[in-house]
Amino acid sequence: MSEIPIKTTTKHELEQVLENKAPPRRFSEKQPRLQRYLPTLNIGVSWTSNIILVIGSFVVTPAILHALGDRQYGVWLLVLSFIGQMRVLDMGMSSGCMRYSAAYYESGDQARLTQVFHTSVAIFGGSTVLALAATAFLALLLPWLYPAAMSGMAGVIMLLGGGLALDLCGRPYAASLRGRSMFFVYDGIEAVTYMIFKLALVLYLAHIGMSVWNLSLVTFAESVVRNGTVLVFSLKLCPWLTTPKPWLASKKMAFNLATYSSAVFLISLADVIRFQINAGIIAYNAPDSPEQISIFGIGVRLLVLMCSTIGVVWSVFIPRFSGLSEAGKTEELWALFRKANRWTGLLSVFGMVNLAVFGLPFLRLWIGKPWVGESYAVMLLAVPGYFVALLAGPSGGLLSGLGRMKGQMIVTVLEAICNISLSFLLVPHLGIFGVCLGMTIPMLLFRSLGLALVMRRDAKLPLTSYWGMHAPILLLGLIYAGLSCGFAFIQYQSFIELFIGCFMSTLVFVLLSYSTVPEVRQIIGRIWRRRETDPAL
């Protein structure tokens, strides 16, 4: 794309553009070749980043666990759960900035893009100040609330909170990259900084002696380097980004962002309640046993990694959904939606069935703790809920791209309320398994029925069509689970034996998919024809 020079724009000029009193400056035509391959590039780099994260987690998690010990690792997870709750200070504005940036970039309107940037700088500046204030408050509150576990943790809390504040400060730049559908830039930067700080440095610390304090120092340093690098790349690749001028923020643009982002904010808040508060519930029920948090955290760790990897398939299409909707390309929009559903479903079946089949032997070889059977039970209880949530992911992405967030927000908030209520009700009787059921049951109910009703109302997709598009995947999953369940009864003595079992299970999945899914046959056919015509292959 040939970039155009940035001219300093006054607030008066921007308001004139919005009121159609002056013609907007526009971008030159985008390179069609780059635009064509952006989804593939985004998914490829995002998957590579997630593979690095998954492999790194497999190496780092047991290293941290053994270096800190069960109790201190539980304390670390407890601190992270509270710091993670402050992510709601994003208030959904990242999604709003990404959506409006994508829409205005698609239409070539540089003036509005610049206005989105200045307005988002003002908003996230306020969020950063709130994050710093909340960090100071937590540094005082948590040691008082959990004296047995949190004594002396104030410095750790300040460092982790400071890193999160930096993330909030850098959100306008990251959102601009995503608005250009350049997920691959941010994901690539994240992968590199992860390998340097959260993999190499953490393993070194685990070798020479690790504490929660120096682990938090590494986390803060990673945030500084990552956000600084994103800043440099965004200024280069997003020509509408200029010197931040929050005083040029537009009330009208802020209202537009808030209208869209308020629903995203409530969804984010509900997600915090659904996933981040579990450690707090467990600590409240068993204040002298933070190791219970470790058992629960390891149990859901593999599910979280699997969902983050598979979620890439539909999440990178959200800006494209926005662009196609803005351009009125309805047929292309629904074709993209069907594609996202198809591949998300296939990968979800493959991932969740293999976690259920190979989860216990993997945890035994990976962690080597006597309580991994409890962690596996937690994971097995949570698999159905996460599976249904993954299937519903493309629908949530479509609604986000269309800007129709109210229904999705209501469903997510109701799910969160049921989650926390059921968890508190069950945890005294079932412990960590009660927390797991309190999370899983609402996910099954609201992701299968609640979101289907929202799609019928907001996307005009009939209930029969919504459930019908998932029916073949569910049938495929049942058949694959039945064919693969025998692998769960094999005693695996090493990772090599486990890898062989996973490889055989993968062959079963490929053959089953080839025989039942036309798109898989088409892809394999194209690869085979290319091998026949290209001697180099």
Side-chain angles (χ1 to χ4, degrees):
M1 171 181 169
S2 58
E3 310 290 5
I4 62 174
I6 299 297
K7 175 185 174 183
T8 302
T9 308
T10 66
K11 184 175 182 179
H12 176 68
E13 290 174 330
L14 290 171
E15 295 292 349
Q16 281 187 317
V17 169
L18 283 180
E19 296 172 8
N20 295 320
K21 294 180 180 179
R25 297 193 306 274
R26 305 180 69 84
F27 287 108
S28 58
E29 289 296 320
K30 297 185 291 292
Q31 293 181 6
R33 184 179 180 86
L34 176 63
Q35 189 69 20
R36 178 183 176 185
Y37 290 106
L38 271 179
T40 303
L41 183 60
N42 284 330
I43 292 176
V45 175
S46 294
W47 267 355
T48 301
S49 177
N50 273 279
I51 289 171
I52 292 171
L53 175 63
V54 169
I55 294 175
S57 295
F58 289 159
V59 176
V60 167
T61 299
I64 296 176
L65 177 59
H66 287 283
L68 294 179
D70 295 355
R71 184 178 181 85
Q72 284 297 100
Y73 184 69
V75 171
W76 172 251
L77 293 181
L78 183 59
V79 174
L80 288 179
S81 71
F82 278 97
I83 295 299
Q85 293 179 42
M86 292 198 302
R87 296 185 187 279
V88 300
L89 293 174
D90 178 282
M91 297 179 293
M93 288 295 174
S94 289
S95 297
C97 293
M98 181 182 71
R99 181 188 184 276
Y100 280 98
S101 294
Y104 295 144
Y105 184 80
E106 188 77 19
S107 62
D109 195 335
Q110 181 183 332
R112 289 177 185 265
L113 280 166
T114 305
Q115 192 169 62
V116 170
F117 172 66
H118 290 319
T119 305
S120 65
V121 167
I123 293 171
F124 281 110
S127 296
T128 302
V129 173
L130 288 176
L132 293 174
T135 298
F137 176 72
L138 287 177
L140 296 174
L141 175 67
L142 294 183
W144 172 80
L145 191 62
Y146 302 103
M150 291 286 201
S151 179
M153 291 289 110
V156 172
I157 295 169
M158 292 297 292
L159 274 176
L160 294 176
L164 187 139
L166 279 175
D167 287 344
L168 289 172
C169 191
R171 292 289 170 84
Y173 300 95
S176 297
L177 286 172
R178 290 188 171 104
R180 268 202 72 175
S181 291
M182 289 187 170
F183 287 79
F184 69 92
V185 176
Y186 184 87
D187 291 336
I189 294 170
E190 190 174 43
V192 172
T193 55
Y194 175 85
M195 287 188 292
I196 295 173
F197 291 93
K198 294 185 176 180
L199 183 58
L201 280 177
V202 167
L203 290 177
Y204 176 72
L205 288 174
H207 177 69
I208 66 173
M210 176 183 288
S211 67
V212 175
W213 167 253
N214 55 33
L215 190 56
S216 63
L217 277 174
V218 171
T219 304
F220 178 77
E222 188 272 340
S223 180
V224 172
V225 174
R226 172 168 44 82
N227 282 287
T229 309
V230 168
L231 172 64
V232 172
F233 274 86
S234 61
L235 290 175
K236 176 67 176 177
L237 296 173
C238 302
W240 63 89
L241 299 184
T242 63
T243 302
K245 298 174 182 177
W247 57 89
L248 291 181
S250 164
K251 291 182 180 179
K252 184 175 180 180
M253 184 60 68
F255 176 79
N256 291 338
L257 290 173
T259 301
Y260 176 85
S261 301
S262 58
V264 179
F265 165 67
L266 291 175
I267 290 173
S268 301
L269 181 61
D271 282 338
V272 166
I273 294 174
R274 289 192 298 157
F275 302 118
Q276 296 290 341
I277 208 170
N278 291 328
I281 295 174
I282 296 170
Y284 178 81
N285 183 65
D288 297 323
S289 302
E291 59 271 14
Q292 291 293 310
I293 303 173
S294 300
I295 297 172
F296 183 88
I298 293 297
V300 299
R301 180 64 174 165
L302 296 179
L303 288 170
V304 171
L305 291 173
M306 183 67 69
C307 288
S308 65
T309 302
I310 297 173
V312 169
V313 174
W314 57 265
S315 62
V316 299
F317 289 137
I318 294 178
R320 189 63 180 154
F321 286 146
S322 296
L324 292 173
S325 175
E326 186 78 11
K329 300 177 180 179
T330 306
E331 291 185 4
E332 292 183 37
L333 179 70
W334 285 106
L336 188 63
F337 174 67
R338 288 191 294 270
K339 181 179 179 181
N341 266 294
R342 184 165 55 249
W343 293 110
T344 297
L346 284 171
L347 291 171
S348 299
V349 165
F350 176 74
M352 292 302 168
V353 169
N354 279 285
L355 281 183
V357 171
F358 298 105
L360 182 56
F362 177 81
L363 288 174
R364 286 172 176 165
L365 293 170
W366 181 40
I367 301 297
K369 291 284 186 176
W371 41 256
V372 294
E374 295 179 70
S375 294
Y376 175 69
V378 167
M379 184 184 72
L380 207 58
L381 285 173
V383 161
Y386 275 89
F387 177 64
V388 172
L390 275 174
L391 294 183
S395 297
L398 176 66
L399 293 171
S400 299
L402 296 177
R404 298 167 188 171
M405 303 294 296
K406 183 178 178 180
Q408 185 180 185
M409 176 267 294
I410 293 173
V411 167
T412 308
V413 170
L414 290 176
E415 179 185 339
I417 293 172
C418 290
N419 183 331
I420 191 171
S421 302
L422 197 57
S423 295
F424 269 116
L425 180 65
L426 296 177
V427 69
H429 308 287
L430 299 174
I432 57 176
F433 303 112
V435 175
C436 186
L437 287 173
M439 174 181 65
T440 302
I441 293 172
M443 288 174 73
L444 287 171
L445 177 63
F446 287 96
R447 295 293 117 182
S448 60
L449 178 59
L451 194 62
L453 293 172
V454 172
M455 286 292 290
R456 184 181 67 174
R457 189 192 72 174
D458 294 345
K460 310 305 178 187
L461 184 68
L463 292 178
T464 53
S465 298
Y466 180 85
W467 290 323
M469 68 182 179
H470 295 311
I473 291 298
L474 292 173
L475 179 60
L476 178 67
L478 289 174
I479 297 173
Y480 181 46
L483 294 174
S484 302
C485 64
F487 292 106
F489 298 99
I490 300 174
Q491 296 295 320
Y492 301 96
Q493 303 299 323
S494 67
F495 276 112
I496 294 178
E497 294 180 7
L498 185 63
F499 173 79
I500 293 173
C502 292
F503 178 75
M504 297 300 295
S505 176
T506 302
L507 285 180
V508 172
F509 178 76
V510 171
L511 292 174
L512 183 61
S513 301
Y514 182 82
S515 61
T516 58
V517 183
E519 290 81 5
V520 174
R521 289 198 296 271
Q522 292 172 6
I523 290 176
I524 294 177
R526 285 198 296 267
I527 295 174
W528 184 258
R529 287 192 295 271
R530 186 179 176 187
R531 287 179 59 88
E532 290 180 339
T533 56
D534 192 343
L537 298 176

